[in-house]
Amino acid sequence: MRKTTGSSRIYIIGAGLAGTAIAKEIQEKGIFGSVAAFLDDDPGKIGTKLMGVPVLGPIRDVLPVLGNRPHDEALIAMPGASRMVLKGIYEALKQAGFSRIRILPTISQILDGEAHLIQTKEIDPVDLLPREPLTINLSEALRYLRGKRVLITGAGGSIGSELARQLLFGGVQRLYLLGHGENSIYEIDRELRLLQKEGVGEKAAVVPIIGELQDRDFMFYILERLRADVVFHCAAHKHVPLMEANPVEAIKNNVFGTRNLVDAARAAGTQRFVFVSTDKAADPVSVYGCSKRIAEEIVLSGDGEVCAYMVVRFGNVLGSRGSIMPLFKEQILTGGPVTITTPGTTRFFMTIPEAASLILKAGGVTEKGALFVLDMGKPIRIQDLAEQMIRFYGFEPHRDIPIEYIGLRPGEKEHETLTAEDEELKPTPYPGILQVVRNGGANLPVERIVEELRPICFRVPGKEYLYRNREHLTEVLARYFSSYRVLVGRSA
């Protein structure tokens, strides 16, 4: 949350529990400005005062006559509002001259009316996109984790860090944050401690760990020492074109790193293991997709009497690091052009908080050895997303900011699917979570594939000629994945 000057006037949109909790905190701290008014559409509240602050409304009627000053801020405290309502409020605030607009996160992150100033953030296009996120009862979803020791791999990434934030509400005993990037782990560790200091969530011991999945000895050592009850495996190399240019490293990290973690968790007596996968594992055409499909099978084949192993597969998440939204923002704010692959390219999208909530929910399902898919809704055309973002930043697509088509990059599909040709979906009792059923079984000899890939990733006596041999790697993947194809332009 950005600190404001003491002279700033803050208008809180929404006079409900969340809005009044935020106002109380602003008044108590006394350094972020003063609450000038609540704005609300409820006739029963308009004209009253809450904590000495007037409630004005209706929102659209009162905004043009507020006489707000340049340093004034608007804070939207309506975590249960629909995207259509939020979009209308945002547009009205911009028309009224507000340049500083903050928003509380979605309802899944605000439990039992609890809201804190530190949870607010600058509004961005993700908050206004037409897809309505599923509302998850987070208290209920996290019940199985109370008192548990939970390990997140890739805890500094977009999904891993959001899992960590939401797990603060779960009453976990210890929260282990594992990653190989010290800066990202430092940042999420620091953020969680600050959230706890400000009263967000419940008390939990947060333990940052710097380590490498590819280090098999360390994985066995650290899992034995931590005795984690539940593992959420989010760590992976994910950037599709970059992994096409570095295919051996993609396999080494995503396949063998997962194998190390699965084996170490089984040896340490882990009770639940949840693997975060991707729609690109369905009929993969990229090295990344193949690596995640193999990793899925490694996880599912690890299921046993002690540990329940499961896979959660979903599409793109909006605003994640390395995704198109930060790229589009950068391109828009530098005058364009905004680059997209083709006019018809589509992707499945979900917000980061929504995906994390559903992953946590799926982790509590008693089904062992199951592959779940999150309900991503309808695919979104990338061009539509680009045009919406251009308008969000106050420009007109094609006139102010050009859009340039660059064609599909190595390893990319024009349209993603959540299931392979030999897979079908069946409903579960849990909204937003579907289960994959494979017709005829997995049909993927995972152990044989792993052994064929091993001398490519590691030096094996007598097979030194295969070490880092990209051509042989391509042959192996093509042999087991009919959907995989070698794309023109692959780096040598």
Side-chain angles (χ1 to χ4, degrees), residues 55-134:
V55 181
L56 309 178
I59 297 170
R60 287 177 180 266
D61 294 342
V62 77
L63 276 174
V65 297
L66 281 180
N68 53 296
R69 301 177 304 204
H71 291 294
D72 290 346
E73 296 196 21
L75 197 162
I76 303 173
M78 302 171 65
S82 70
R83 292 303 174 92
M84 184 175 294
V85 169
L86 290 177
K87 189 173 185 291
I89 291 173
Y90 172 77
E91 290 173 350
L93 288 169
K94 294 296 287 186
Q95 289 174 4
F98 282 94
S99 58
R100 300 176 179 180
I101 303 172
R102 279 184 284 162
I103 191 170
L104 268 175
T106 57
I107 190 73
S108 66
Q109 295 174 275
I110 304 295
L111 305 177
D112 303 323
E114 179 183 331
H116 296 269
L117 190 60
I118 195 172
Q119 292 175 295
T120 63
K121 67 183 185 70
E122 299 289 337
I123 196 167
D124 64 36
V126 174
D127 301 305
L128 305 178
L129 289 174
R131 186 185 190 281
E132 290 290 343
L134 287 167

Side-chain angles (χ1 to χ4, degrees), residues 56 97 102 132 135 239 273 275 285 335 361-362 365 378 418 440 456 475:
L56 309 178
R102 279 184 284 162
E132 290 290 343
T135 299
H239 194 281
F273 189 109
F275 176 55
V285 300
K361 180 72 174 178
V365 176
K378 295 181 180 179
L418 290 165
I456 303 172
E475 293 172 6

